[in-house]
Amino acid sequence: MDQSRIDALRALAVSPGSHLIDGQNVAASDGAIMDILSPIDGTVLTSLARGTVQDMETAITSARAAFEDGRWAKQPPAARRKVLLRWANLIEENALELAVLGVRDNGTEIGMALKAEPGSAAGTLRYYAEALDKVYGEIAPTQSDILGLIHKEPVGVVGAIIPWNFPMMIGAWKLGPALASGNSVVLKPAETASLSLLRMAELALEAGLPPGVLNVVTGEGRVVGEAMGLSMDVDVLVFTGSGSTGRRLLEYAARSNLKRVYLELGGKSPNIVFADAPNLEEAAKIAAAGIFRNSGQVCVAGSRLLVEASIHDEFVAAVVRAAEALRVGDPLDVNTHVGAVNSEAQLQQNLRFVETARNEGGTIVTGGDRILTETGGYYMAPTVITGVAAEATLAQQEVFGPVLGVTAFTDEHEAVRIANATIYGLAGAVWTSNLSRAHRMVRAVRTGVMHVNTYGGADGTVPLGGVGQSGNGHDKSLHALEKYTNLKTAWIKL
Ligand code: NAD
């Protein structure tokens, strides 16, 4: 990464943003805007259209018209593949520009943002572009005078609601399979992370995606997100975000057209370290990275560290060393390991969790404070808290910040019991040299993803989704295509 190029990009003014509807940049119907603050220094970066219910309805109408006339859905698969591949290439060609814009908006450290945002988004789009003409329907094993065909059809209009932690990566997890399957999409980015997604959507037009096939409406979740959820003309709603919003989306679907709703929600993922882990020093470094990168604003973050009692003190000391070695600061400095927290509100919430943990008997071994206040930005020291009881607030509720709670266990049975004692089930890990124990733990811990002797980094070939209150859908891999297609049976008498 070239610091001087990054600095040149950060010096550019960011033009006020507007919706992207039917291929056009349009302002809110009532002209309202909202200020966008940069978490780097707390200053106003630019403004965005503060969408209205009418704006969302216009975007959905545009998506519906695009779907019905077949301008995208009825193009030959090879033509659609070409457009998506061109889009992926454009994202890569503009990767640094997109990454810097996104970091100015959401605060992720640039090293991670470059890989996880444009890098990952381009890879995801390419994966689904390549897949779209390799997924077949089926012929049913019927009696001989019948032909039973099972078609896979696009659902129509997909509504996608995206959070702020990795907007391009998560956006592409929805857009890739939705568009590859021939649907039209209306995308609603998070209030505090819209800029890079808007730019990415403009590049889609440049790549040849017909106007109206991808529309972006910015604004507040409780206004435009709610309008999307309540629409009678959105067929499938895909969402990544908090459980409380997910609950609302299910209600919206029940109150409107019973649209299918897929939720990717939060987690309280257990990172379980046994005394026989192959390399404890390495495990400690990865455990620290697994919670502190992107200031802990990672859905699969290993936010609960469960350590076998016999190595507890030694292992915690190694994690603390790794945490204190992380350089927190300006996310656009290439030497920064941990950037800014996304917003003042999120930072305050993180600090409240630390206070509660202290009140409930936890010991703050490192961190716990807001730092770098002189910058005007939102920074927090990586925080390790020991003595966290399995039922404590910190062990039960998602912080979505750089706060690691540590709990000791005495044997495998107790480790499983503690690991499964939350409402969540998104991710987890087990560190052990014992192959049988590794397999037993993979089966016993109730999550959508289990890592063994590593944490994070699962690529697009495997699904990501939760169990319990971590959600009900899967992003990534060919399985994600199922959300964006309907099965249709043709029963033919021969
Ligand atoms: P959030 O629920 O506050 O917001 C997510 C999106 O929902 C935003 O675009 C927001 O504007 C919109 N929204 C808010 N209220 C709405 C409403 N009433 N109707 C419709 N839309 C509404 O979540 P967040 O704080 O942006 O994201 C953090 C959460 O996302 C964490 O819980 C995290 O674990 C989760 N997450 C999950 C995954 C995963 O794959 N499972 C990945 C990343 C983040």
Side-chain angles (χ1 to χ4, degrees):
M1 279 184 303
D2 177 349
Q3 187 67 58
S4 58
R5 273 194 68 205
I6 293 171
D7 290 340
L9 286 165
R10 95 148 100 198
L12 298 175
V14 182
S15 318
S18 45
H19 307 312
L20 188 66
I21 300 178
D22 219 14
Q24 305 292 322
N25 292 113
V26 290
S29 59
D30 61 2
I33 58 170
M34 55 188 193
D35 280 342
I36 300 303
L37 302 181
S38 175
I40 299 176
D41 55 12
T43 58
V44 176
L45 179 59
T46 187
S47 66
L48 280 174
R50 187 187 289 274
T52 61
V53 171
Q54 190 185 323
D55 296 335
M56 181 51 75
E57 284 169 356
T58 307
I60 293 168
T61 303
S62 157
R64 173 61 59 193
F67 181 71
E68 295 301 336
D69 71 17
R71 71 187 81 161
W72 175 247
K74 292 193 178 139
Q75 279 192 33
R80 281 191 274 131
R81 186 179 61 221
K82 214 169 176 178
V83 171
L84 293 178
L85 290 176
R86 214 181 289 138
W87 189 16
N89 291 343
L90 282 173
I91 290 170
E92 265 177 5
E93 283 162 24
N94 293 278
L96 195 63
E97 179 211 318
L98 285 161
V100 171
L101 184 64
V103 170
R104 293 172 78 188
D105 202 7
N106 86 336
T108 305
E109 55 276 6
I110 185 70
M112 175 170 239
L114 194 57
K115 269 189 256 158
E117 287 283 275
S120 158
T124 299
L125 294 177
R126 231 172 243 136
Y127 179 90
Y128 291 105
E130 293 293 356
L132 68 82
D133 57 358
K134 296 167 192 71
V135 177
Y136 294 76
E138 293 162 33
I139 300 175
T142 54
Q143 62 200 45
S144 62
D145 62 340
I146 292 290
L147 178 60
L149 300 180
I150 304 168
H151 295 277
K152 291 184 180 174
E153 298 187 326
V155 295
V157 175
V158 172
I161 302 181
I162 308 297
W164 43 260
N165 56 336
F166 292 106
M168 293 184 68
M169 176 173 81
I170 296 172
W173 287 348
K174 320 287 189 203
L175 292 172
L179 293 172
S181 304
N183 299 289
S184 295
V185 180
V186 180
L187 186 78
K188 200 285 225 208
E191 292 84 328
T192 54
S194 299
L195 301 177
S196 54
L197 269 176
L198 270 169
R199 179 78 192 108
M200 180 169 141
E202 286 169 2
L203 292 177
L205 288 174
E206 223 175 296
L209 193 72
V213 175
L214 170 57
N215 305 277
V216 184
V217 177
T218 59
E220 293 167 279
R222 63 186 174 79
V223 178
V224 285
E226 179 173 301
M228 179 188 277
L230 286 171
S231 169
M232 296 298 288
D233 213 14
V234 168
D235 299 292
V236 164
L237 195 55
V238 286
F239 171 74
T240 297
S242 63
S244 55
T245 305
R247 233 172 254 280
R248 286 209 182 91
L249 298 182
L250 293 173
E251 280 175 32
Y252 299 154
R255 281 163 52 197
S256 55
N257 63 344
L258 296 175
K259 57 181 72 62
R260 296 209 306 253
V261 181
Y262 295 104
L263 305 174
E264 301 286 344
L265 308 174
K268 195 75 218 179
S269 300
N271 189 10
I272 307 165
V273 184
F274 285 92
D276 65 357
N279 180 341
L280 287 175
E281 198 61 36
E282 183 68 9
K285 278 191 195 141
I286 295 176
I291 174 65
F292 298 130
R293 301 304 304 272
N294 199 16
S295 295
Q297 302 164 139
V298 179
C299 58
V300 296
S303 55
R304 285 189 296 153
L305 181 61
L306 310 189
V307 190
E308 191 163 356
S310 61
I311 56 159
H312 177 275
D313 294 357
E314 172 201 350
F315 192 74
V316 169
V319 172
V320 168
R321 274 197 302 280
E324 290 176 350
L326 294 171
R327 194 182 308 200
V328 183
D330 176 5
L332 288 175
D333 181 332
V334 295
N335 295 313
T336 291
H337 301 121
V338 177
V341 173
N342 179 252
S343 64
E344 179 69 32
Q346 183 66 39
L347 178 52
Q348 292 305 327
Q349 181 175 303
N350 297 346
L351 295 172
R352 280 196 296 277
F353 269 108
V354 173
E355 201 43 43
T356 304
R358 199 193 315 260
N359 293 339
E360 292 182 0
T363 303
I364 295 152
V365 191
T366 188
D369 303 312
R370 178 177 200 154
I371 54 171
L372 302 171
T373 39
E374 68 283 4
T375 61
Y378 320 133
Y379 300 93
M380 183 167 171
T383 301
V384 178
I385 305 180
T386 53
V388 177
E391 62 281 0
T393 306
L394 186 61
Q396 292 295 318
Q397 294 183 21
E398 183 181 46
V399 178
F400 217 55
V403 182
L404 179 64
V406 186
T407 307
F409 66 85
T410 48
D411 58 23
E412 202 176 305
H413 178 74
E414 190 183 19
V416 171
R417 185 183 60 74
I418 298 172
N420 287 341
T422 76
I423 59 169
Y424 295 111
L426 189 55
V430 55
W431 297 78
T432 178
S433 298
N434 179 329
L435 186 63
S436 301
R437 169 185 278 160
H439 283 292
R440 278 197 303 273
M441 293 295 288
V442 166
R443 288 187 185 178
V445 180
R446 264 195 331 260
T447 60
V449 179
M450 268 306 268
H451 306 87
V452 178
N453 295 334
T454 186
Y455 204 99
D459 71 14
T461 60
V462 289
L464 170 64
V467 299
Q469 293 188 32
S470 288
N472 63 359
H474 287 95
D475 284 323
K476 308 198 301 174
S477 83
L478 295 182
H479 291 284
L481 291 166
E482 292 154 22
K483 297 193 289 192
Y484 304 97
T485 43
N486 287 329
L487 296 181
K488 178 186 269 179
T489 294
W491 188 257
I492 302 165
K493 179 90 175 78
L494 300 178

